[in-house]
Amino acid sequence: MSVGFFHKVSLDSRLDLGVDVELQPGREAVVRVAVATLWTSPEAVRPVDRPALTAGADIPAWVSGLSTEQQVGDCVLSQLLLGERVLVSELRPDGWARVVAVEQPAAKLDPRGYPGWLPADQLAAVDPATGGDRSLVVDATVTALHAAPAGPVVLSGVVVGTRLVPAGPVRDDWRPVHAPGQAAPLWLPDSHLVPAPAASPNAEQALAVAQRLLDVAYIWGGLSAHGIDCSGLVHLAWRRFGVLLPRDADDQAVATTPLALGAERPGDLYFFARPGRAIHHIGIVTAPPSDSGDRRMLHACYRRRRVIEEPLPADRTATLVGAHRV
């Protein structure tokens, strides 16, 4: 796809599009949409990606429009959740921003975090008055932010693991929160939120979050309940509890503790690699290995294009290179 597909905009038209003109290279910003997609380059996006590129970033519409082959296009690097911090490194006049996702460790790519591109109008400048206290976590698999308790939806598609800033007391079982790029507080059911954890989770808690994503579509680079990949599933499950594992499977192996095969338990991780190659796949252990050595895992499956729980088939077992614990 050419650059021209993503419209070129002047500063004045960027104002019309709602782009925050306080965005500056070298400064942090935050994601203002429910889920933003991080791209390899502006030139790599395809016509089918249009719903993910708008100021509203309609990720469910984007995912539903992808063919099975387009689900694994290598133009997508990762995704970022509402309120997630990025470091802006470049702003282009055509409305694109190069950023580093500082909450997604990626040591082999950039010691600061995961680098990539996204539309600048999906970002907002950090508000010093409301940007620090992200003490609430979305625990609903998917929810929406409303203009008032039980009022019109302002921002849909907010997913589990999203950190939000409280904006006042609960009213009629609804909680107000500050959302980036929104002048007034927005509301969501208080039952969809939990306090940010004060202690590290156990493996079974992270597994329980991942199990709620069964049958979610496999999307290369996906990191949400709308579409996800294998390492994204692991990252998001632990992120729900405030543990920021690296974004990619090979980095996740480095950041976790190896176990002797046979010692794994539910919530531990299986890693897979072909002979002489780097780790390419990861799954979450769902049962102790049987006496005969049979193993089960939950994973975002490239072959089946969705999140599944299954016994390891023989060809998968042949590439199993280790079990690790977070």
Side-chain angles (χ1 to χ4, degrees), residues 270-282 315-322:
Y270 285 136
F271 290 93
F272 302 86
R274 298 179 183 90
R277 304 290 295 275
I279 286 169
H280 69 272
H281 191 62
I282 185 172
D315 59 342
R316 186 75 76 182
T317 299
T319 61
L320 177 62
V321 294

Side-chain angles (χ1 to χ4, degrees), residues 156-190:
S156 62
V158 177
V159 300
V160 62
T162 299
R163 290 287 186 107
L164 294 171
V165 178
V170 175
R171 185 204 306 171
D172 299 327
D173 298 323
W174 288 74
R175 168 86 69 168
V177 296
H178 294 292
Q182 302 290 331
L186 301 181
W187 299 75
L188 73 165
D190 188 49

Side-chain angles (χ1 to χ4, degrees), residues 1-3 39-47 49 73-76 96:
M1 168 181 158
S2 68
V3 177
W39 306 89
T40 56
S41 73
E43 293 76 19
V45 297
R46 307 154 295 183
D49 300 321
D74 59 5
C75 54
V76 176
W96 283 90

Side-chain angles (χ1 to χ4, degrees), residues 38-40 77-78 89 98-102 104 106 108-117:
L38 197 66
W39 306 89
T40 56
L77 292 170
S78 188
S89 55
R98 180 170 170 80
V99 303
V100 175
V102 298
Q104 297 188 29
K108 67 181 182 295
L109 300 175
D110 191 314
R112 301 170 298 175
Y114 217 107
W117 292 86

